[in-house]
Amino acid sequence: MTSLEIAASAVTTISILLAGRNSIHTWWTGIIGCVLFGLLFWQAKLYADVALQVFFVLASTFGWWQWLYGNKGNSLPITRAGVRTIAKIAPIGVLVAGAYGAMLFHYTDAYAPYLDSSILVFSVIAQWLLMQRKLESWWFWLLVNTVAVPLFASRELYLTAFLYACYWVNACIAYRHWRSLSASDLKSDYEVLIASK
């Protein structure tokens, strides 16, 4: 365990907890955590995870703006992506993860390239949904955390593996919290609609 792993884990944990609480501060803390994790994963030769951290920095910048102004200049509400959307993106995620894993396997010295690429691809999907404040983003974070815990432990990144296990629990709690917020938003919209009649 290094000081870089401790710092990356601490900052990212704060960001993830803030995301679960639907806080706008998740984005700037996330950017800092991603930079630190990118350096850590480079040292561990987990190159797909390095690429993922670069994506997260860019996505966090956009997500920050989207949450603040993505609803015609107003803050974006929590909504659902829907079964059709999930049914489209999940198989695409499997195909892309397999292709990227094959590339890492053949052209780099990456450790566990297929698992590493699965974390990358499904994290991108989860982040894309999170940027849009979609409830289903937490389903994908559960999947990512389930794969990440044993992978990071196998690289002796024990603190990171432990934190991803905690993130798994946080994703469960966040899903319930977001679902209740989404239900209250839908109820408020319904009440406004009824009152206007």
Side-chain angles (χ1 to χ4, degrees):
M1 187 181 320
T2 65
S3 58
L4 179 58
E5 184 180 8
I6 293 168
S9 298
V11 175
T12 302
T13 298
I14 292 167
S15 175
I16 288 170
L17 291 172
L18 289 169
R21 290 353 166 239
N22 196 34
S23 170
I24 194 71
H25 299 293
T26 186
W27 298 111
W28 67 267
T29 55
I31 291 169
I32 295 168
C34 290
V35 169
L36 296 173
F37 263 122
L39 296 171
L40 178 70
F41 292 142
W42 182 266
Q43 292 173 358
K45 296 184 177 182
L46 294 171
Y47 303 127
D49 281 307
V50 174
L52 180 60
Q53 301 313 308
V54 172
F55 165 78
F56 278 156
V57 168
L58 298 173
S60 293
T61 304
F62 179 73
W64 195 351
W65 180 89
Q66 183 80 347
W67 277 29
L68 285 172
Y69 307 110
N71 185 24
K72 299 177 183 176
N74 298 310
S75 83
L76 198 63
I78 296 171
T79 57
R80 294 178 187 263
V83 175
R84 276 192 220 169
T85 300
I86 301 304
K88 288 177 187 174
I89 60 177
I92 292 170
V94 171
L95 291 173
V96 173
Y100 191 58
M103 185 191 77
L104 290 175
F105 178 79
H106 291 293
Y107 298 110
T108 74
D109 62 345
Y111 177 84
Y114 292 100
L115 292 177
D116 196 22
S117 66
S118 295
I119 291 170
L120 171 105
V121 171
F122 286 99
S123 293
V124 167
I125 292 170
Q127 186 74 3
W128 176 70
L129 291 168
L130 184 69
M131 288 170 9
Q132 298 176 64
R133 262 189 175 147
K134 298 296 183 186
L135 179 64
E136 293 86 353
S137 67
W138 297 107
W139 296 354
F140 286 94
W141 287 125
L142 283 167
L143 174 64
V144 167
N145 296 333
T146 300
V147 174
V149 171
L151 177 62
F152 295 150
S154 73
R155 295 305 285 163
E156 299 181 1
L157 299 171
Y158 298 120
L159 175 59
T160 303
F162 171 75
L163 286 172
Y164 271 73
C166 294
Y167 299 160
W168 191 94
V169 173
N170 181 67
C172 292
I173 295 167
Y175 176 79
R176 291 186 60 162
H177 179 64
W178 277 42
R179 189 174 63 183
S180 70
L181 291 175
S182 176
S184 66
D185 284 347
L186 291 173
K187 184 179 177 186
S188 297
D189 291 345
Y190 177 74
E191 288 169 350
V192 168
L193 182 63
I194 294 298
S196 67
K197 288 187 175 180

